[in-house]
Amino acid sequence: MITFIACIVLLIIGYLTYGKFVDKVFGTDDRETPAVRLQDGVDYVPMNNKRIFLIQLLNIAGLGPITGAIQGALFGPVVYLWIVLGTIFAGGVHDYMTGMLSMRNNGGSISEIVGKYLGGGMKQVMRVFSVILLLMVGTVFAVGPSSLLAMLTPKTLDKNFWLIVVLIYYFLATLLPVDKLIGKIYPFFGVCLIIMAAGVGVGLVAKGYPLPEMQLTNMHPSDIPIWPFMFITVACGAISGFHATQSPMMARCLTTEKKGRQIFYGAMVAEGVIALVWAAAGVSFYESTGGLLAVLTDPNIGPNGAVYEICMTILGPVGGILAMIGVIACPISSGDTAFRSARLTIADWFKVDQSDVKKRLALTVPILGFGAIVGGFFDYSVIWRYFSWSNQTLAMIALWAAAVYLWQKKKKYIIAAIPATFMSAVSATYFLAAPECLGLMKHGKLSLAYGLGAVVACVFLGIFLKTTVLSKKQMEKEA
């Protein structure tokens, strides 16, 4: 219990100290923001800061810090360490920098930001990469809730029926001005997400669940190695590239840069606290990682069933309601903003004016059509297979772009370069080792994956240093 409480305290201290340091390094000022300068009543809409925070939290969180953290709990209490350190030094920096850089670049999407700081070639790669990622997320979070709703309603209302209902909602959320639908319902569900996490966290302590203290040992029942799999599994609870696609939406609504730390870094810390609560629940509720694995792999329970069971047991009937909101509304909230972000990314790509409803329709219809076709005919587990890796790879690229920006501005680029190097090692090693990728682990060559992953990270760091710091020193020497 001491470890659990200490970790929550550390996250709060991290926001108050390192978050403030990152904000100072970036250097916010009183310049006019895109929400004011480019106000169009559709995507650039000034909104209240509290509302923006709750929307940002739900945008980046959804079901991610719940199910990801529960599955991360299979590794044991060591997962606490990654959630805390990852949130403070990687996820918080990532979300803050992508949000603030978007504000400094007219609310531009992550692909445009990356292109500006890493070059035109990377811009094209990121445009395709981020759109595919967003469409995958949107489709998965349409199919998943649809399947669950089908289980809870009469047989005549099957998965395809609910998929159509969800996609109709997605259509409206993607098309309508951000303050008309998302701006009205997201704050409510954001509060529900916070209440659910707070209730579960307090319940774990008050009811005396055996919250284990920190152990730096791997407790995964299947002996899946911590490196790099834990760092990919937890994802949204520590750092997630998906957040880089979401932050620009709120960057178009903030009326002052001074609130950037509260909105972007703060929402990531709040998500870290939520993830920590659910990791603790996963570690303690089923008494052992073996018991947790049995529940997660049971086709009749799975991660969603585990969330429902934990909420019902700890919080009673109210917990059941919150659990249903969590496993149905939260993924839907990730899906609709994924499709909306895809529209904005494509609009930035082809310079399509989104104040014109006909032009918004021209992008929205094919985007949602993709979701309907893929979601209706393909197993979403297949679609999801490569999401985890692509998600963290996007985070890596965004951090490298932030490091270049900070170097250009003669600021402490190390705050982005170090987590960028770390995430480069994570992404490269996972790609080399994971069964769904190159699969070196299943061939007994995990050590090779470790070595090559470290080499890739060093190469990326070397490229960064050569094209920035070392090139500057060489030019000064020649001069």
Side-chain angles (χ1 to χ4, degrees), residues 117-118 396-421 424 456-473:
Y117 300 110
L118 298 185
M396 170 197 78
I397 296 171
L399 282 168
W400 281 123
V404 171
Y405 165 83
L406 292 173
W407 174 81
Q408 289 179 349
K409 297 297 180 180
K410 299 180 180 179
K411 298 177 182 293
K412 294 180 175 64
Y413 57 83
I414 194 171
I415 65 171
I418 289 179
T421 304
S424 297
V456 170
C458 289
V459 168
F460 286 175
L461 177 61
I463 292 172
F464 168 74
L465 293 174
K466 186 177 187 303
T467 55
T468 55
V469 182
L470 297 180
S471 64
K472 180 182 178 181
K473 290 182 178 179

Side-chain angles (χ1 to χ4, degrees), residues 355-429:
S355 62
D356 187 329
V357 67
K358 293 181 180 178
K359 292 180 179 179
R360 292 206 305 278
L361 273 170
L363 295 182
T364 301
V365 171
I367 287 172
L368 270 295
F370 173 90
I373 293 171
V374 175
F377 294 98
F378 291 89
D379 182 351
Y380 84 87
S381 64
V382 176
I383 307 169
W384 192 253
R385 183 171 297 169
Y386 298 101
F387 170 73
S388 295
W389 170 77
S390 57
N391 182 44
Q392 300 303 64
T393 300
L394 178 56
M396 170 197 78
I397 296 171
L399 282 168
W400 281 123
V404 171
Y405 165 83
L406 292 173
W407 174 81
Q408 289 179 349
K409 297 297 180 180
K410 299 180 180 179
K411 298 177 182 293
K412 294 180 175 64
Y413 57 83
I414 194 171
I415 65 171
I418 289 179
T421 304
F422 181 84
M423 292 309 300
S424 297
V426 169
S427 296
T429 306

Side-chain angles (χ1 to χ4, degrees), residues 33-35 37-38 43-44 95 97-117 123 126-127 130 243-253 264 341 343-349 351:
T33 66
R37 187 174 66 256
L38 303 174
D43 298 310
Y44 294 88
D95 289 14
M97 292 301 299
T98 53
M100 297 306 295
L101 286 178
S102 179
M103 290 183 72
R104 288 283 173 94
N105 289 276
N106 296 324
S109 58
I110 186 59
S111 56
E112 307 308 303
I113 294 169
V114 167
K116 179 173 181 178
Y117 300 110
K123 177 191 287 188
M126 281 294 292
R127 282 170 168 171
S130 58
H243 298 182
T245 68
Q246 302 301 291
S247 293
M249 282 197 295
M250 291 302 97
R252 301 183 185 204
C253 299
F264 301 119
S341 294
R343 171 176 69 78
L344 295 175
T345 301
I346 295 172
D348 286 349
W349 186 347
K351 304 295 186 290

